[in-house]
Amino acid sequence: MDTVNSEEDSVEDMSTALYARALEVLPGGVSRNTVLRRPHPAYVDHASGSRVVDVEGIERIDFANNMASLIHGHAHPAIVDAVSEQLHKGTAFTMATEIEIRYAEHMCARSDSFERIRFVNSGTEAVMAGVKAARAFTGRPMIAKVEGAYHGLYDYAEVSQTSNPTNWGNPEEPAVNPVAHGTPPGVLDDVVVIPFNNPDRAIAILDQHRGRLACVLLDVMPHRVGLSPAEPAFVEALREWTTHDGSLLLLDEVITFRSEYGGAQSWYDLAPDLTAMGKLIGGGFPAGAIAGRSDVMDVMNPLSARVLFPHSGTFSANPVTMTAGLTAMEMFDVESVEHVNALADRAVAGIEDAIHATGITACVTGGGSMFRVHLKERPPRDYREAFTPPEEAARITSLVDHLFNAGFMMINTCSATTSTVMTTEDIDALVEAMADGFIAIS
Ligand SMILES: Cc1ncc(COP(=O)(O)O)c(C=O)c1O
């Protein structure tokens, strides 16, 4: 495998030239901040299976999988064939299609908590639809969410996602901070922020808002909060509190649905009222979905005498996404789930051995088919423990760059996801490169 380090000057010229053009038309030269790298982003030429080849012809094993969204790697032949066939029949209609019914039937069969489902176009939209459905069902405006958790761009869902030691306030009562400058102050009045994995503190905060919350929005393994699975007592406390309060539990499984056949909710034998999904369910195309109790989902029912939450979307349930999603999810059967999870377990065990062997201060968190390397002594239990000060963030970037130059794409927090097309050799190669990386940054 070629690596960036072995390339000549002309290679740099191509990406440098592309980035110079991009800077003239895109803010910061990118459409998504995630792909920004110094001194310029890498530009893809093509990809297949677990390999991505950039415009300079350099091949890398992809552990980023488009931010945890590709479960079968790139250009899976079954998905390419199914989508190609659909492309010839048309891509979007002002009419319903059978494929959306077939996909809805498939998804509703995956989890007992999915009595009804609606498809949207992104995780952000799924979370937003879930919050609005919860508000419409309860007639209450407020929501609660975990400090530091990322749920997409909806104003209410992003509150306190980027809190830092200068503004996060008292751990007993985390501060309610906006993310985007100019967020309307009213948004902050309607969001309650709770600490992860601390049932006593979380319940004490929620108790101050009894009868006023539409939902508690929860990701049971939030990436930015450290990618540690929630402790069962925390999840149980929130389920119990919401049930007694008459508010809803809205689970964000945009990432974690890849963890088990019926999503990470099955780790806890949990029946959320609503579940937001996205990423892998699009089979490589933009997608989201909101699923849950039929009485709650009925707020969107256009046949009702009074529609409490009118809901639509021009490209929602378009047949291209539905075809790709159904094909991908049918292939992501119990055996495939076990395969990707076993690959991640192997990676975690190997990296833990490398940590031990190299003596670096580091640890690994994660669950299912995703894991994250921290340059910390102990796995963080909440956002404040997971917080990465600048010097540590710079070392993480060096580690991710080392891996990139050695032929491995990681998510920029040094997180990784496995896909069904990966092999144990791919995992062992990553572990070896990680061990070298630990030495390089020590
Ligand atoms: C847990 C979670 N929720 C919601 C979202 C938003 O999804 P999208 O980027 O598709 O809008 C993300 C995206 O990374 C996510 O990780």
Coordinates of all heavy atoms in Angstrom, one line a residue, residues 67 121-125 127 150-153 219 222-223 252-256 278-279 287, ligand 1:
M67 N -18.2 8.8 8.7 CA -18.7 9.1 10.1 C -19.7 8.0 10.6 O -20.8 8.4 11.0 CB -19.3 10.5 10.2 CG -18.3 11.6 9.9 SD -16.9 11.6 11.1 CE -17.7 12.4 12.5
N121 N -34.5 12.7 5.9 CA -33.2 12.7 5.1 C -31.9 12.8 5.9 O -30.9 12.8 5.2 CB -33.3 13.8 4.1 CG -34.5 13.7 3.2 OD1 -34.5 12.7 2.4 ND2 -35.5 14.5 3.3
S122 N -32.0 12.9 7.2 CA -30.7 13.0 7.9 C -31.0 12.7 9.4 O -32.2 12.7 9.8 CB -30.1 14.4 7.8 OG -30.9 15.3 8.5
G123 N -29.9 12.5 10.1 CA -30.1 12.3 11.6 C -30.6 13.6 12.3 O -31.4 13.5 13.2
T124 N -30.1 14.7 11.8 CA -30.6 16.0 12.3 C -32.1 16.1 12.2 O -32.8 16.5 13.2 CB -29.9 17.2 11.6 OG1 -28.5 17.2 11.8 CG2 -30.5 18.5 11.9
E125 N -32.6 15.8 11.0 CA -34.0 15.9 10.8 C -34.8 14.8 11.6 O -35.9 15.1 12.1 CB -34.2 15.6 9.3 CG -35.4 16.4 8.7 CD -35.7 16.0 7.2 OE1 -34.7 15.6 6.5 OE2 -36.8 15.9 6.8
V127 N -33.9 13.6 14.6 CA -34.0 14.1 16.0 C -35.0 15.3 16.1 O -35.8 15.3 17.0 CB -32.6 14.6 16.4 CG1 -32.7 15.4 17.8 CG2 -31.7 13.4 16.6
Y150 N -23.9 15.1 21.1 CA -24.2 15.7 19.8 C -25.4 14.9 19.2 O -25.4 13.7 19.1 CB -23.0 15.4 18.8 CG -23.2 16.0 17.4 CD1 -23.3 17.4 17.2 CD2 -23.3 15.2 16.3 CE1 -23.5 17.9 16.0 CE2 -23.5 15.7 15.0 CZ -23.6 17.1 14.9 OH -23.8 17.6 13.6
H151 N -26.4 15.7 18.8 CA -27.6 15.2 18.2 C -27.9 15.8 16.8 O -29.0 15.9 16.4 CB -28.8 15.3 19.1 CG -28.6 14.7 20.4 ND1 -28.8 13.3 20.6 CD2 -28.4 15.2 21.7 CE1 -28.6 13.0 21.9 NE2 -28.4 14.1 22.5
G152 N -26.9 16.5 16.2 CA -27.2 17.2 14.9 C -27.4 18.7 15.2 O -27.1 19.2 16.3
L153 N -27.9 19.4 14.2 CA -27.9 20.8 14.2 C -29.1 21.5 14.7 O -29.2 22.8 14.7 CB -27.7 21.3 12.8 CG -26.3 20.9 12.1 CD1 -26.3 21.5 10.7 CD2 -25.2 21.5 12.9
D219 N -28.7 9.6 23.9 CA -27.9 8.6 23.1 C -27.2 7.8 24.2 O -26.5 8.3 25.1 CB -26.9 9.5 22.3 CG -25.9 8.6 21.5 OD1 -25.8 7.4 21.8 OD2 -25.3 9.1 20.6
P222 N -22.9 8.2 23.6 CA -22.6 9.4 22.9 C -21.1 9.6 22.6 O -20.3 9.6 23.5 CB -23.1 10.5 23.8 CG -23.3 9.9 25.1 CD -23.3 8.5 25.0
H223 N -20.8 9.8 21.3 CA -19.4 9.9 20.9 C -18.6 11.0 21.6 O -17.6 10.8 22.1 CB -19.5 10.1 19.3 CG -18.2 10.4 18.7 ND1 -18.0 11.1 17.5 CD2 -16.9 10.0 19.0 CE1 -16.7 11.1 17.2 NE2 -16.0 10.5 18.1
D252 N -31.7 8.6 20.7 CA -31.0 8.9 19.5 C -30.1 7.7 19.1 O -29.0 7.5 19.7 CB -30.1 10.2 19.7 CG -29.3 10.6 18.4 OD1 -29.2 9.7 17.5 OD2 -28.8 11.7 18.4
E253 N -30.5 6.9 18.1 CA -29.7 5.8 17.7 C -29.2 6.0 16.3 O -29.0 5.1 15.5 CB -30.6 4.5 17.7 CG -31.0 4.1 19.1 CD -30.6 2.6 19.4 OE1 -29.4 2.3 19.1 OE2 -31.4 1.9 19.9
V254 N -28.9 7.3 16.0 CA -28.3 7.6 14.7 C -27.0 6.9 14.4 O -26.8 6.3 13.4 CB -28.2 9.2 14.5 CG1 -27.3 9.5 13.3 CG2 -29.5 9.8 14.5
I255 N -26.2 6.8 15.5 CA -25.0 6.0 15.4 C -25.2 4.6 15.9 O -24.8 3.6 15.3 CB -23.8 6.7 16.1 CG1 -23.2 7.9 15.3 CG2 -22.6 5.7 16.3 CD1 -22.0 8.5 15.8
T256 N -25.8 4.5 17.1 CA -25.8 3.3 17.8 C -26.6 2.2 17.2 O -26.6 1.0 17.7 CB -26.2 3.5 19.3 OG1 -27.5 4.0 19.3 CG2 -25.2 4.4 20.0
G278 N -30.5 7.3 11.6 CA -29.9 7.9 10.4 C -28.7 7.1 10.0 O -28.6 5.9 10.2
K279 N -27.7 7.7 9.4 CA -26.4 7.1 9.0 C -26.6 5.8 8.3 O -27.1 5.8 7.1 CB -25.5 7.0 10.2 CG -25.3 8.3 10.9 CD -23.9 8.5 11.3 CE -23.7 9.8 12.1 NZ -22.6 10.6 11.7
A287 N -30.1 9.8 4.8 CA -31.4 9.2 5.3 C -31.5 9.4 6.8 O -30.5 9.7 7.5 CB -31.4 7.7 5.1
Ligands
LIG1 C1 -25.8 10.7 17.6 C2 -26.0 11.6 16.4 N1 -27.2 12.1 16.2 C3 -27.5 12.9 15.2 C4 -26.6 13.2 14.2 C5 -26.9 14.1 13.1 O1 -27.0 13.3 11.9 P1 -26.8 13.9 10.4 O2 -25.4 14.3 10.3 O3 -27.2 12.9 9.5 O4 -27.7 15.1 10.4 C6 -25.3 12.6 14.4 C7 -24.3 12.9 13.3 O5 -23.1 12.6 13.5 C8 -25.0 11.8 15.5 O6 -23.8 11.3 15.6

